[in-house]
Structure formats: C-alpha cells, structure tokens
Amino acid sequence: MYLTKEEEEILEGEAGEGFQRSMEILVTLGDIYKSERLVDITSAQISSVAYTNSGETGIRFLEWLVNTGAYFKVLTTLNPHSIEHDRWKEVGFPNDFSLRQLANTEAYRKLGAVGTFTCTPFQVGNNPRFGEHIAWAESSALSYANTVIGARTNRESALSALAAGLIGKTPLYGFHLDENRKGRVLVKVETRLREHADYSALGWAVGEKVMSKVPIFIGIPKNVDNYELNTLCAGLAVSGAVAMAHIPGITPEAPTIDVALGGEKPEETITIDDEELKLVYEDRSTKGIGSKVDLVLLGCPHYGYKQLKKASELLKGKKVHKDVRLWIATSTPISSAVKRVGWLDIIEEAGGEIMCSYCAPVSRAAPFGFKTMATNSSKATFYGVGAMGLKDTIFGTTEECINAAISGKWGE
Ligand code: F3S
C-alpha cells in the first residue's frame, strides 16, 4: 500500500509507539484488502467500550496508549457500555464491576474521545455528511451511516476504529469505493410496517437471507422516520452482516432502483410479506402469551425524542408491575432534553427507568437475576440469551412490551 512520507514516519515510530502500533494495524488491514492507500476520515465511532467486552486487557491497552502520548486526531465518539453511567449505584450495578467500567471510559477520555456512550452517534452530534469517509464500528450505526446519510464506512472492528481515530485515516477499500456500494438483491416489501419493531423484524428477515450483500428495498413507506430506518439497519447488521442497503428516494446516492443497481441486473429478488414478518416475531420469542416477564427492554438502538415521547404517552397514569423492571436506553444529551419537556418524569412516575449510556444486550444481566426479557428489538433478542445470559426472550411491538411491563405477563 502506498504511504505518504508522513505516514511512513509514523510507521517507523517517529511519532511514538502508540501511533506506530495504530499505523501498523491500518497498514496490515490495507494489505489484506489490497487497498491502494489511506484516506482521511472525519470521525470514528468505537465499539467494545463495555467492560464486559474489553476486560482488563482492554483497559491496559488503552492506558498504554495514553502513556505513549497518543490521542484521537479526529472526532471520536463511543458506544454505550456496561453500566448506567451516572446512577449505577442507584440502579444496583456492583461496585467493583462499575469502577472497572469507569476506568475503561476514563482511559478513552484521556485519549480525547467524546463520552457520548451511545450507538446512535448521529443523534448527538457525530453526524457526517454525504460522501464523507468515516470509520465506525457499531454495526447498527455504520449501516445507518452508509444507507441513510450516504457517508462511507466499512464494518470496522473495535480495534480498527480505534486505530483509525488515532491516525485520522483508514485504508481505502470496501464500502469506501463506488463499485462495492452497488445494490445486489432486490427486496420487495409487501407487508404493512406499523412501527419500529416491524422495521427491526424486517431487517432481521432480510439480513438472514442476503448475509453481507447490499439489498435494495422497494415498498418502504415514504413517511418512514429515521429511528425506523435505524432499527431496520440494526436488524440487517445482526442477523446478516449487512453494512449498507439502498432505499431509493432515501439513500442519497440512490434516487432510483437503476442507479442503486449501478447499471447491473439484481442477483435475485426476494419478497417479505405478512407471513415472513410474523415468523421473525415467532422465531425470536422463546416464550409466548401468558408468560411472566421480569425485564422489559426498549432502546436498542438507543431511543431518540420521538420514541421517548411515545413511551411516555403509553405509560401516562400507569404503573409498572412490582416484579418487572422497565429499562429504556438512551444517551445523556437526549435524556436531559426530554427531562425538560416532562416526558422523562412521566416515565419515571410510572416506574420506568431511563438507562443512559448503557447497552444491556452486551452486558451480563447476572447481577439482576433476570430470566425473561420482552423487547421490541430483534437485535436485543439475539444478545439476550447469549451475552446477557437470559433464559428466554420475547419479541413484540412497543405497545405489547409496555403492556407486559404493566401487567407482568406477555399478552395480558
Ligand atoms: Fe445499541 Fe447495544 Fe443495541 S450498542 S444497538 S443498545 S446492542
């Protein structure tokens, strides 16, 4: 891979060992993917910020980077992590575990990362423009960035996004290049999409079928909102490995199906109807009507204003069942603004808990002893039984989830 004189010097260690290791990571990746050169990026989004993912090794590596004098050269924002950032004691996270999580985030702070702790960085100021090159590692966010914003990023790992943020560049390959962004599979949507849970189910259904190919959606309603698109991207990225989709008329570089296909024919056409969508709800649920739930999780990906407003409307004047915890995940900036308008108070008066900076699905739920989680996110069901260690998950609409939080049982 061609390197400029300055890049060569960094690789030889003239800027310090931390930058040198970061450049080695980028050059190795570039060589593997036969990249011609590095390209400047405008931002990085780092995953594996959760202590449950990074562990002590991750903290030691970050602290070593700090000691070498390395720092982020471009705007670098962070994924959510393993505790409620400010109220962890009140919520009941164990002391030792929480302090190690905070040691991890402190090392990122010293490197100059902005502590957004959200998987929706575009809601809180890391909002690239059409055509910008970025290096993002959160699969739901990077898929949204390629699909909805038209920025360009590969499916970065935690380590490659970290290295890219420190150097301010990434190897030019994959989704940074026009030829790899063409749509390959036509997806006809022939079902009514009621709310974001349906988009999450649609993403799951299509991701399973297309794996890493770029789908082109036909039949997405024109009034779809950004969070619905975000949950579609999250589903696509978790059941498959979709880093980008085209939605003609919404994806900036794809005004029409022909442009999305880049002058080629689709490799295949698939149809998602009512039955396909129903199957996802059934497949992602290991229990059904009448089952007791002890955790109801909303906000995967992190909720924005509209979703918190809807939650407050559904909870107004109601009470969450005494044996259930209703956790709604979002970021601190969104939560603060929602507090001012009064929606947060309504949710809390009903017994719901706003979980800022937190990602339950990648964090073990063991301290709380939850067994059955109801959620409106197909992505959360995927991690629920594995990473969270739950026994059962139930996937349904937002209204069904909130009803379960109130009654303590699914479907009652
Ligand atoms: Fe966000 Fe965690 Fe879900 S990073 S998309 S809340 S799995």
Side-chain angles (χ1 to χ4, degrees):
M1 185 169 69
Y2 167 77
L3 295 181
T4 64
K5 188 167 176 298
E6 190 194 353
E7 290 162 358
E8 285 281 6
E9 285 169 2
I10 295 172
L11 189 61
E12 281 158 18
E14 289 184 26
E17 240 187 308
F19 285 123
Q20 183 183 25
R21 289 279 172 275
S22 304
M23 187 59 96
E24 282 171 0
I25 291 167
L26 298 183
V27 169
T28 304
L29 262 179
D31 286 343
I32 290 169
Y33 289 102
K34 305 204 181 330
S35 166
E36 283 177 14
R37 63 181 175 89
L38 296 173
V39 63
D40 289 342
I41 57 167
T42 53
S43 76
Q45 164 78 10
I46 296 183
S47 61
S48 285
V49 181
Y51 179 61
T52 41
N53 291 349
S54 65
E56 289 302 312
T57 311
I59 297 176
R60 274 201 302 278
F61 180 58
L62 293 172
E63 287 175 346
W64 174 80
L65 281 171
V66 172
N67 290 333
T68 67
Y71 57 90
F72 290 115
K73 293 205 175 128
V74 292
L75 171 64
T76 297
T77 47
L78 300 172
N79 245 27
H81 54 62
S82 301
I83 57 172
E84 208 290 346
H85 197 77
D86 301 307
R87 298 185 306 110
W88 55 269
K89 271 193 191 142
E90 194 184 310
V91 177
F93 289 96
N95 211 52
D96 291 353
F97 173 79
S98 303
L99 293 178
R100 295 318 290 156
Q101 174 62 69
L102 293 175
N104 177 310
T105 53
E106 173 61 9
Y108 276 117
R109 189 193 66 76
K110 286 182 181 160
L111 288 169
V114 183
T116 45
F117 305 128
T118 181
C119 43
T120 55
F122 35 83
Q123 289 190 11
V124 296
N126 185 355
N127 196 14
R129 284 201 308 266
F130 173 47
E132 281 187 7
H133 295 278
I134 57 178
W136 284 16
E138 162 54 38
S139 66
S140 63
L142 70 89
S143 178
Y144 179 92
N146 279 319
T147 304
V148 182
I149 301 173
R152 296 183 169 217
T153 176
N154 284 317
R155 259 180 89 106
E156 300 293 346
S157 69
L159 203 56
S160 65
L162 173 75
L166 290 167
I167 298 294
K169 296 171 193 241
T170 192
L172 187 65
Y173 72 96
F175 287 93
H176 293 283
L177 301 172
D178 289 345
E179 60 262 34
N180 301 316
R181 298 174 66 87
K182 291 178 188 168
R184 290 170 62 191
V185 180
L186 275 185
V187 180
K188 292 186 178 168
V189 180
E190 295 183 355
T191 182
R192 194 166 69 90
L193 299 164
R194 297 162 296 174
E195 62 127 23
H196 59 260
D198 283 349
Y199 283 86
S200 178
L202 174 65
W204 183 281
V206 174
E208 259 188 334
K209 293 182 200 304
V210 306
M211 297 315 291
S212 61
K213 292 179 186 169
V214 178
I216 304 171
F217 284 90
I218 309 165
I220 298 282
K222 290 225 170 349
N223 63 351
V224 61
D225 72 28
N226 283 347
Y227 190 74
E228 289 163 341
L229 293 168
N230 192 189
T231 55
L232 172 69
C233 291
L236 285 167
V238 74
S239 69
V242 176
M244 170 168 192
H246 286 288
I247 307 169
I250 290 175
T251 304
E253 66 210 72
T256 64
I257 297 169
D258 284 346
V259 175
L261 283 163
E264 291 174 25
K265 294 234 171 317
E267 289 176 17
E268 59 177 314
T269 300
I270 59 176
T271 301
I272 303 294
D273 55 17
D274 294 347
E275 192 52 31
E276 289 268 359
L277 214 66
K278 192 165 153 256
L279 269 179
V280 178
Y281 281 106
E282 286 168 7
D283 282 357
R284 301 314 306 155
S285 300
T286 53
K287 276 188 169 177
I289 289 181
S291 305
K292 280 176 87 170
V293 301
D294 44 21
L295 170 66
V296 174
L297 180 74
L298 310 176
C300 169
H302 274 184
Y303 263 8
Y305 301 122
K306 277 172 77 173
Q307 299 71 46
L308 287 163
K309 179 173 189 279
K310 180 174 175 181
S312 75
E313 286 165 357
L314 291 169
L315 283 164
K316 194 164 186 173
K318 312 253 175 65
K319 277 281 171 226
V320 171
H321 192 276
K322 64 176 178 39
D323 298 332
V324 179
R325 289 186 84 164
L326 169 62
W327 283 356
I328 306 180
T330 187
S331 61
T332 303
I334 298 277
S335 161
S336 304
V338 163
K339 171 99 184 136
R340 291 194 191 122
V341 75
W343 303 334
L344 196 138
D345 290 342
I346 295 171
I347 292 170
E348 289 181 343
E349 272 160 26
E353 296 168 81
I354 300 292
M355 304 289 281
C356 290
S357 312
Y358 181 54
C359 169
V362 301
S363 306
R364 276 172 235 129
F368 300 95
F370 297 128
K371 291 194 172 54
T372 304
M373 170 180 75
T375 180
N376 56 2
S377 161
S378 62
K379 182 172 180 176
T381 65
F382 174 77
Y383 288 112
V385 176
M388 281 178 84
L390 297 162
K391 211 165 154 291
D392 290 289
T393 58
I394 305 175
F395 177 37
T397 64
T398 307
E399 199 163 349
E400 287 171 328
C401 287
I402 288 190
N403 287 342
I406 293 162
S407 71
K409 287 187 181 171
W410 187 253
E412 290 194 355

Coordinates of all heavy atoms in Angstrom, one line a residue, residues 3-16 20 23:
L3 N 2.2 4.7 0.9 CA 2.2 5.6 2.1 C 2.9 6.9 1.8 O 3.9 6.9 1.1 CB 2.8 5.0 3.3 CG 2.2 3.7 3.9 CD1 3.0 3.2 5.1 CD2 0.8 3.9 4.3
T4 N 2.3 8.0 2.3 CA 3.0 9.3 2.1 C 4.2 9.3 3.1 O 4.4 8.4 3.9 CB 2.1 10.5 2.6 OG1 1.8 10.3 4.0 CG2 0.8 10.5 1.8
K5 N 5.0 10.3 2.9 CA 6.3 10.4 3.7 C 5.9 10.5 5.2 O 6.5 9.8 6.1 CB 7.1 11.7 3.3 CG 8.4 11.8 4.0 CD 9.2 12.8 3.3 CE 10.6 13.0 3.9 NZ 10.5 13.5 5.3
E6 N 4.8 11.3 5.5 CA 4.4 11.5 6.9 C 3.9 10.1 7.5 O 4.2 9.8 8.6 CB 3.3 12.5 7.0 CG 3.0 12.9 8.4 CD 1.6 13.7 8.5 OE1 1.1 14.1 7.4 OE2 1.2 13.9 9.6
E7 N 3.1 9.4 6.7 CA 2.6 8.1 7.1 C 3.7 7.1 7.4 O 3.7 6.3 8.3 CB 1.6 7.5 6.1 CG 0.3 8.3 6.0 CD -0.5 8.1 4.7 OE1 0.0 7.4 3.8 OE2 -1.6 8.7 4.6
E8 N 4.8 7.1 6.5 CA 5.9 6.3 6.6 C 6.6 6.6 7.9 O 7.0 5.6 8.7 CB 7.0 6.5 5.5 CG 6.6 5.9 4.2 CD 6.9 4.5 4.0 OE1 7.2 3.8 5.1 OE2 6.7 3.9 2.9
E9 N 6.8 7.8 8.3 CA 7.4 8.2 9.5 C 6.7 7.7 10.8 O 7.3 7.3 11.7 CB 7.6 9.8 9.6 CG 8.7 10.2 8.6 CD 8.7 11.8 8.4 OE1 7.9 12.5 9.1 OE2 9.5 12.2 7.7
I10 N 5.4 7.8 10.7 CA 4.5 7.3 11.8 C 4.8 5.8 11.9 O 5.0 5.3 13.0 CB 3.1 7.6 11.6 CG1 2.8 9.1 11.6 CG2 2.2 6.9 12.7 CD1 1.4 9.6 11.3
L11 N 4.8 5.1 10.8 CA 5.0 3.6 10.8 C 6.4 3.3 11.3 O 6.6 2.2 12.0 CB 4.9 3.1 9.4 CG 4.8 1.6 9.2 CD1 3.6 1.0 10.0 CD2 4.7 1.2 7.7
E12 N 7.4 4.2 11.2 CA 8.7 3.9 11.7 C 8.9 4.3 13.1 O 9.9 4.1 13.7 CB 9.7 4.6 10.8 CG 10.0 3.9 9.5 CD 10.6 4.8 8.4 OE1 11.1 5.9 8.8 OE2 10.5 4.4 7.2
G13 N 7.8 4.9 13.7 CA 7.8 5.1 15.2 C 8.2 6.5 15.5 O 8.4 6.9 16.7
E14 N 8.3 7.4 14.5 CA 8.8 8.8 14.9 C 7.8 9.6 15.6 O 8.2 10.6 16.3 CB 9.2 9.5 13.6 CG 10.5 8.9 13.0 CD 11.0 9.6 11.8 OE1 10.7 10.8 11.6 OE2 11.7 8.9 11.0
A15 N 6.5 9.2 15.6 CA 5.5 9.9 16.4 C 5.2 9.2 17.7 O 4.3 9.6 18.4 CB 4.3 10.1 15.6
G16 N 5.9 8.2 18.0 CA 5.7 7.5 19.3 C 5.1 6.1 19.0 O 4.5 5.8 18.0
Q20 N 2.5 4.4 16.2 CA 3.2 3.4 15.4 C 2.3 2.1 15.3 O 2.0 1.6 14.2 CB 4.6 3.1 15.9 CG 5.3 2.1 15.1 CD 6.7 1.7 15.7 OE1 6.8 1.8 16.9 NE2 7.6 1.3 14.9
M23 N -0.8 2.7 13.2 CA -0.5 2.7 11.8 C -0.2 1.3 11.3 O -0.7 0.9 10.2 CB 0.7 3.6 11.5 CG 1.0 3.8 10.0 SD -0.4 4.5 9.1 CE 0.1 6.2 9.1

